[in-house]
Amino acid sequence: MEIAMKAAARLLASFALAGFVTTGAMAAMSTTTTTPAATTTTTMAPTTKKPKTAMTPEKTAISKQCSTLADQKGLHGKDREKFRSDCKKNGGKAPS
């Protein structure tokens, strides 16, 4: 009996969650504006991510050079990120 009650509770929770998710998704996709003359509904397009730009061979070489320099210095974490950022801005040379 206890197993049946747990299964029923899980089923009920999954239905409640499914209804919430569907309602939330629908609310995010459309908005309704009420004006004195009429009610207008507009549907928003889903957001799209900006496509990544491909790195040129020159930028790839600079990035690898900066990684090599950071490895030689034994840098890790935020220090490494800062060093590589400055190095790439400097064209692959260690920042002064």
Side-chain angles (χ1 to χ4, degrees):
M1 184 74 169
E2 186 177 320
I3 294 173
M5 290 177 58
K6 287 182 180 179
R10 284 188 196 129
L11 184 61
L12 182 61
S14 66
F15 284 137
L17 181 61
F20 175 74
V21 170
T22 304
T23 305
M26 296 301 288
M29 294 301 290
S30 66
T31 59
T32 302
T33 307
T34 305
T35 60
T39 301
T40 307
T41 302
T42 57
T43 303
M44 299 174 0
T47 58
T48 56
K49 291 185 177 180
K50 188 176 179 182
K52 291 184 178 180
T53 55
M55 287 183 60
T56 62
E58 181 183 336
K59 286 186 177 182
T60 301
I62 290 171
S63 183
K64 286 182 181 181
Q65 176 65 29
C66 293
S67 290
T68 302
L69 291 172
D71 287 341
Q72 290 172 354
K73 290 183 173 260
L75 297 174
H76 298 283
K78 290 189 179 195
D79 292 335
R80 181 183 178 88
E81 289 177 19
K82 174 82 169 112
F83 176 84
R84 289 191 70 244
S85 176
D86 293 342
C87 177
K88 288 190 283 186
K89 289 176 186 173
N90 201 21
K93 298 177 183 138
S96 304

